[in-house]
Amino acid sequence: MVELLQTLWQRPNFVVFVILFLWGFYIMAAHPNFVKKLIGLYIVQTSAIFFLVAFSAKEDAAVPIIVSEGLVDAAAYANPLPHVLTVTAIVVQVATLGVSLALVSSIYRKYRSLDEDEVMEQLE
Amino acid sequence: MSSQLPMLLFLVPFFTGVAMPMLAAKRPSLCQPLTIGAVMVMVVLAIINLRVVLTSGPIEYAIGGWAAPLGIAWLDDTIAAIVVLTVSAVALLSLIYGRVVVPSRLERSISYHTLILLLIGGLVGLIFAADLFNVFVFLEVAALTGYALVGAQGGKASVFAFRYLLLGSFGATLYLLGVAHLYAVTGTLNMADLATRLPQIVTSTAVAGGLIYMFLGLSIKMALVPLHSWLPDAYENAPEAIAPLLASTVTK
């Protein structure tokens, strides 16, 4: 138990990731308002991106752009691949947000309410 | 030419979908023939592709000229060729069926047909992708167009499309988490590369966790039994022309 707490203490980034993920999932599941569910989904996606960034962090790493000719020491530069994955995931987030807000506005136009319970009652 | 076939198979529906607002803005009745024409061209190309792959072996298409494992590669092997042919044929059949049952408001809608073509294009990309992250990107393209198509009729369908969106995006996020775990352990995203490296390290917690996340994420999208609750509502209320296409291609 003590070792578990010690490993958790030494990795604060990953603890934050777990907290964000679970909190976002709770928001998605528990709140009846559609827009709040969307915010929960956004937090879950952001926590996954945060995980990507967290494990690719490197101390004293240079920006991965080569300005001089000749041999370079790869270990001194930050790994650019997770950066690419992060940017792509952010783009996917934005697209998801667009589609979901369009759906929410279509729901609002028809049912005049953003509350899931009210809308489900109207559907019966 | 035959070495460009995978990209052609992807570009035909994608380009037609993206160019559709330009081509059909003045005459909305052109939308449906354009869509069906594009998918017919795709079926022909898929047959040619299958013949080429069966006779001369798999085509490895390196995008941008960067060869794997450094670059993103598309692998066009026998299974991929068969699946592309199946998807194109099923798309063609469901579009022809759609001619009969589509409500007139959607029949002339440019966005509706654009979404169908983007869905098919995303599926083709998903079939050819040989890189875990490429799978994620095309999975999301196909899924997002699917969410929008399920809610295309408005009203009741939008509510269930929204629920499908929430669960599907959550599944995709879990898949991304799994990919991130696997990348953190092995340092590569190429599927062939991973296949050689995974068997030795599969007992480590990070790899096991990554594989479990990927499995959970994909099973939400596939509606595997404990995680299938979004499926009946979404398909019952989707436009009748879309339900066959989604059921046979996206979910599977």
Side-chain angles (χ1 to χ4, degrees):
Chain A
M1 189 62 194
V2 180
E3 296 97 44
L4 177 63
L5 283 180
Q6 268 185 340
T7 39
L8 285 182
W9 188 253
Q10 284 159 356
R11 293 162 172 68
N13 291 336
F14 298 106
V15 175
V16 168
F17 151 68
V18 169
I19 293 176
L20 272 180
F21 188 88
L22 294 174
W23 204 337
F25 185 51
Y26 168 73
I27 295 175
M28 239 170 78
H31 285 259
N33 190 330
F34 286 130
V35 179
K36 288 194 185 155
K37 285 182 194 285
L38 273 182
I39 294 178
L41 175 69
Y42 196 84
I43 293 179
V44 170
Q45 288 174 328
T46 306
S47 77
I49 296 174
F50 180 73
F51 176 73
L52 265 177
V53 172
F55 76 72
S56 65
K58 204 193 233 188
E59 275 186 26
D60 296 331
V63 175
I65 300 179
I66 300 180
V67 289
S68 57
E69 292 298 310
L71 292 174
V72 289
D73 178 19
Y77 290 91
N79 187 359
L81 183 62
H83 302 179
V84 172
L85 302 184
T86 305
V87 171
T88 310
I90 292 178
V91 169
V92 167
Q93 253 186 348
V94 171
T96 310
L97 204 63
V99 174
S100 55
L101 285 176
L103 280 175
V104 167
S105 83
S106 159
I107 295 176
Y108 186 70
R109 236 180 291 139
K110 175 95 188 265
Y111 296 105
R112 296 274 118 204
S113 157
L114 278 181
D115 193 85
E116 188 192 17
D117 302 323
E118 281 176 28
V119 171
M120 292 311 269
E121 260 178 64
Q122 287 186 33
L123 280 180
E124 294 304 323
Chain B
M1 216 291 273
S2 62
S3 66
Q4 309 291 331
L5 267 174
M7 193 46 94
L8 266 181
L9 271 170
F10 170 68
L11 281 180
V12 163
F14 190 74
F15 185 72
T16 318
V18 171
M20 178 149 315
M22 252 186 358
L23 299 170
K26 288 295 173 61
R27 227 178 293 154
S29 55
L30 261 188
C31 287
Q32 216 171 42
L34 261 180
T35 319
I36 296 189
V39 180
M40 274 203 269
V41 169
M42 259 185 81
V43 170
V44 169
L45 282 177
I47 296 177
I48 299 177
N49 183 35
L50 183 60
R51 249 201 54 186
V52 166
V53 169
L54 283 178
T55 52
S56 44
I59 303 176
E60 203 171 292
Y61 190 86
I63 303 190
W66 297 95
L70 275 183
I72 307 280
W74 272 7
L75 184 61
D76 185 6
D77 53 0
T78 321
I79 291 191
I82 296 177
V83 175
V84 161
L85 182 56
T86 313
V87 166
S88 323
V90 165
L92 185 61
L93 288 174
S94 60
L95 283 175
I96 295 179
Y97 169 67
R99 279 184 67 100
V100 177
V101 298
V102 69
S104 56
R105 181 175 63 92
L106 286 181
E107 187 177 355
R108 293 160 188 282
S109 156
I110 299 179
S111 0
Y112 175 76
H113 290 280
T114 307
L115 282 172
I116 293 181
L117 283 171
L118 285 177
L119 171 69
I120 299 175
L123 288 171
V124 170
L126 181 59
I127 294 167
F128 285 137
D131 190 271
L132 281 183
F133 199 65
N134 223 0
V135 168
F136 172 67
V137 170
F138 284 114
L139 193 65
E140 281 294 81
V141 169
L144 281 172
T145 49
Y147 309 145
L149 281 172
V150 166
Q153 263 178 340
K156 199 165 166 195
S158 317
V159 182
F160 297 119
F162 184 73
R163 190 167 290 173
Y164 176 21
L165 184 148
L166 279 184
L167 287 170
S169 299
F170 184 68
T173 310
L174 278 177
Y175 175 80
L176 177 64
L177 213 55
V179 168
H181 276 86
L182 284 180
Y183 174 69
V185 175
T186 55
T188 176
L189 290 171
N190 195 333
M191 285 201 229
D193 214 0
L194 272 177
T196 54
R197 291 202 211 180
L198 271 182
Q200 297 126 22
I201 44 170
V202 83
T203 50
S204 98
T205 337
V207 173
L211 292 173
I212 291 177
Y213 288 136
M214 282 172 63
F215 174 69
L216 278 178
L218 289 176
S219 58
I220 293 179
K221 284 200 169 275
M222 270 198 334
L224 227 48
V225 162
L227 309 159
H228 66 290
S229 58
W230 57 267
L231 191 73
D233 299 323
Y235 282 154
E236 188 185 330
N237 296 292
E240 287 107 19
I242 293 297
L245 182 56
L246 282 179
S248 50
T249 52
V250 178
T251 314
K252 285 300 154 268

